[in-house]
Amino acid sequence: MSCKENYLRVLDVVSEDLKKAGRDESECTLVAVSKTKPLELLKEAYEAGCRDFGENYVQELVDKIPQMPEDIRWHMIGHLQTNKVKYLIGKTYLIHSVDTVKLAKEIGKQSEKAGIVTDILLEVNVAEEESKFGFTSENILDGVKEISEIPGVRVKGLMTSAPICENPEENRVYFQKLKQLSIDIKNQNIDNVSMGFLSMGMSGDYEVALSEGSTFVRVGTAIFGERDYSK
Ligand SMILES: *Cc1c(COP(=O)(O)O)cnc(C)c1O
């Protein structure tokens, strides 16, 4: 199947699932994760109506942006090193993967320099996987409080990547946990912090994530096919 067909098929599943969950279609955005993929495929997805693209690597993102239409909302979803932040400022719709206070400080600093405010999500390693970045369920509240004081950034919600698993149902507990954390944080009424966004669900588990309240599903393989990292 072409990537256009894949995109439209996933979009259909997303809107059906939202309907089933009694949620409005506007409540969740399908982010097409195009890391490692050539521009031709991104353009195909764009022609099919996709306006939200997710990338993991700063260099790749910065290279792709000027070669694609201007009405795209670019999502940075990969681990971000503080020394790369300056290349990204002003170019993203949302940075999903803020995993330390230090990184938020650097985004704030560079944003202030550019005279803008950058919208961010905080990544939580709810499954406590050793290989993954992120706040823990235990330290996320302190992290949010500290980051809420930083000028130049605005916390809009939480993000997680659940483990790779055979049965997506196994990840339901992690999505529930992230949702609960966002409710707990919201109830603290912290200035400059909103919890309207929940970024969770990938190719293997986005339907489960949607049923647990996801507002951004990040789907790569199911749209663009397997990635080849050998090049
Ligand atoms: C690559 C990636 C995705 C997309 O994964 P697929 O399984 O290909 O859908 C989603 N989120 C993050 C953070 C990623 O790095």
Side-chain angles (χ1 to χ4, degrees):
M1 271 218 268
S2 75
C3 128
K4 195 166 186 168
E5 285 167 318
N6 288 340
Y7 173 76
L8 292 173
R9 185 172 41 86
V10 175
L11 193 63
D12 252 5
V13 175
V14 169
S15 43
E16 280 302 313
D17 285 356
L18 285 169
K19 251 185 249 163
K20 264 187 253 164
R23 301 174 65 200
D24 193 82
E25 285 215 21
S26 63
E27 285 179 47
C28 188
T29 302
L30 170 58
V31 178
V33 176
S34 46
K35 62 178 179 233
T36 78
K37 295 297 176 182
L39 287 170
E40 301 91 80
L41 291 189
L42 277 74
K43 285 179 179 154
E44 240 189 73
Y46 182 89
E47 275 162 31
C50 182
R51 293 295 178 273
D52 290 85
F53 288 85
E55 289 281 342
N56 286 56
Y57 312 105
V58 172
Q59 188 59 54
E60 187 178 351
L61 178 57
V62 168
D63 285 347
K64 279 175 173 171
I65 290 174
Q67 304 187 68
M68 289 291 291
E70 279 182 16
D71 61 343
I72 289 174
R73 307 196 298 184
W74 294 98
H75 299 253
M76 174 62 188
I77 64 170
H79 176 59
L80 179 55
Q81 291 167 291
T82 45
N83 62 350
K84 301 258 174 78
V85 166
K86 55 179 178 285
Y87 305 114
L88 209 60
I89 292 305
K91 299 190 170 156
T92 56
Y93 166 72
L94 187 62
I95 301 177
H96 293 228
S97 43
V98 176
D99 49 20
T100 58
V101 173
K102 182 176 166 234
L103 176 60
K105 279 184 179 156
E106 178 63 15
I107 297 171
K109 186 177 133 194
Q110 297 295 340
S111 300
E112 277 211 295
K113 235 193 229 178
I116 60 166
V117 175
T118 300
D119 287 336
I120 61 172
L121 305 181
L122 303 188
E123 180 168 0
V124 188
N125 184 5
V126 276
E128 293 173 23
E129 287 180 279
E130 288 208 4
S131 59
K132 292 223 175 109
F133 297 99
F135 293 89
T136 64
S137 306
E138 286 72 38
N139 69 16
I140 181 65
L141 180 58
D142 285 341
V144 172
K145 283 180 179 161
E146 210 176 325
I147 291 168
S148 73
E149 313 259 323
I150 302 172
V153 293
R154 195 161 39 212
V155 178
K156 306 283 280 185
L158 304 178
M159 177 269 214
T160 199
S161 293
I164 293 165
C165 60
E166 297 261 301
N167 175 5
E169 278 298 327
E170 288 167 26
N171 283 341
R172 186 177 293 277
V173 291
Y174 302 124
F175 300 140
Q176 289 171 338
K177 206 163 168 186
L178 194 74
K179 172 80 187 180
Q180 189 56 50
L181 283 171
S182 82
I183 292 169
D184 294 345
I185 293 167
K186 184 167 178 267
N187 288 340
Q188 301 266 330
N189 288 316
I190 304 164
D191 274 353
N192 197 33
V193 170
S194 62
M195 281 287 135
F197 289 168
L198 270 188
S199 171
M200 54 189 199
M202 311 185 0
S203 290
D205 57 18
Y206 69 93
E207 291 200 72
V208 177
L210 271 169
S211 69
E212 294 299 338
S214 177
T215 71
F216 292 102
V217 287
R218 311 178 307 267
V219 178
T221 310
I223 295 174
F224 297 108
E226 296 288 336
R227 284 175 295 274
D228 180 2
Y229 288 101
S230 65
K231 283 174 256 158

